[in-house]
Amino acid sequence: MQRPQRNNHEIDYEKATAAIGYSFKNKKLLLTALTHSSFANEMHDGTKYNERLEFLGDSVLGIVVSDYIYLNCPEFPEGKLTKLRASLVCEKSLYGYAKQIKLGELIRLSKGEKHSGGDDRPSILSDAFEAVIAAIYLDGGIEPAREFILRFVIPDIKSAKPVKFKDYKTVLQEIIQKNPEERISYVLVKETGPDHDKHFVVEVHLNSNVIGKGGGRSKKEAEQEAARVALELMGY
């Protein structure tokens, strides 16, 4: 019997497994991790996409990187550990990691998103990278997820040249936490544009007061810009 051809809406599991370096028991997790919301919206059939996995992957990434640099950089004080971690898990670094395994070639995007270069957009690739982390974690546990993450992070640490990145959110948090009663929060106040060209506006609140506002092509970028504005207004 002739083998059915792969549907364009599927992914090349063999290619994905080779790129990621992990073989999934539950292939649906990988499929979801590599599905962008624009593709799901275009299907109109309840297709799952990777935003929830991205949320989990961000946390797994944070704990794995924190654990590694805490144990392997004993000479670093807390402030330097915080800055190092921020440089390793920021969007720019994750985009670079995703590019190393050509993740953009694997992601399912809408026709419009694909046409507009979504397969090379930093926000999309970095989010998909976090989603892949979560998929590995859910499928095989923390150890394969750790192995996957450290494959990219350790070379950056050993080179002593982590991506130069001003983590305005961390700097602002360090300033504010000197007063324990103060609380920082980030509020999404506006989201405009089609799936392939979104723009987000975020306010940073100190308790109930707005102290900064910023925009960007991803929520993370908008939060960083809001924090930068807040620091500037505070004289930093």
Side-chain angles (χ1 to χ4, degrees):
M1 186 173 74
Q2 187 176 8
R3 185 179 178 182
Q5 291 186 334
R6 185 170 66 88
N7 190 299
N8 288 334
H9 293 162
E10 296 176 0
I11 62 172
D12 187 331
Y13 285 103
E14 187 175 337
K15 182 178 180 180
T17 297
I20 295 169
Y22 176 81
S23 182
F24 283 82
K25 296 183 284 291
N26 182 355
K27 291 183 178 180
K28 289 182 180 179
L29 284 169
L30 177 59
L31 183 65
T32 302
L34 296 176
T35 301
H36 186 252
S37 59
S38 64
F39 180 90
N41 293 336
E42 191 173 74
M43 289 298 97
H44 300 293
D45 61 359
T47 296
K48 291 184 178 180
Y49 52 95
N50 63 13
E51 287 185 1
R52 280 175 55 84
L53 285 175
E54 174 209 339
F55 164 79
L56 177 59
D58 180 69
S59 296
V60 176
L61 173 67
I63 189 62
V64 168
V65 171
S66 297
D67 177 72
Y68 183 85
I69 63 176
Y70 176 83
L71 294 174
N72 291 276
C73 304
E75 73 281 10
F76 283 12
E78 184 272 339
K80 193 167 184 179
L81 286 173
T82 298
K83 289 180 174 62
L84 175 59
R85 179 182 60 192
S87 74
L88 294 168
V89 304
C90 68
E91 182 179 283
K92 188 173 182 179
S93 288
L94 299 183
Y95 171 65
Y97 302 156
K99 292 282 284 183
Q100 288 180 40
I101 57 174
K102 299 181 179 179
L103 199 58
E105 296 179 6
L106 303 171
I107 300 172
R108 297 199 298 174
L109 300 165
S110 69
K111 293 176 183 176
E113 190 68 71
K114 182 82 172 178
H115 182 72
S116 67
D119 56 356
D120 193 39
R121 186 163 294 130
S123 60
I124 290 178
L125 265 64
S126 61
D127 288 351
F129 189 84
E130 289 180 329
V132 167
I133 291 172
I136 295 172
Y137 170 74
L138 291 173
D139 191 71
I142 190 64
E143 287 310 316
R146 186 195 310 277
E147 185 177 335
F148 176 74
I149 293 166
L150 294 183
R151 168 179 150 201
F152 302 94
V153 168
I154 290 176
D156 266 358
I157 297 173
K158 286 186 175 179
S159 71
K161 295 178 182 179
V163 177
K164 293 182 180 179
F165 173 73
K166 189 70 172 178
D167 187 350
Y168 299 107
K169 287 180 65 177
T170 297
V171 175
L172 181 60
Q173 185 64 40
E174 288 176 346
I175 293 169
I176 299 302
Q177 69 186 13
K178 293 176 183 177
N179 299 304
E181 71 280 2
E182 306 286 5
R183 291 290 181 273
I184 283 286
S185 61
Y186 292 85
V187 179
L188 178 65
V189 294
K190 193 174 182 181
E191 180 179 336
T192 58
D195 285 333
H196 65 276
D197 192 22
K198 286 283 190 184
H199 184 78
F200 300 89
V201 177
V202 168
E203 291 178 346
V204 55
H205 292 196
L206 176 60
N207 301 324
S208 59
N209 300 314
V210 179
I211 60 171
K213 188 174 182 179
R217 298 190 68 174
S218 70
K219 292 176 187 177
K220 292 178 182 178
E221 185 178 308
E223 288 175 355
Q224 286 290 345
E225 178 61 14
R228 185 195 67 76
V229 170
L231 287 166
E232 188 175 276
L233 292 173
M234 293 166 67
Y236 287 92

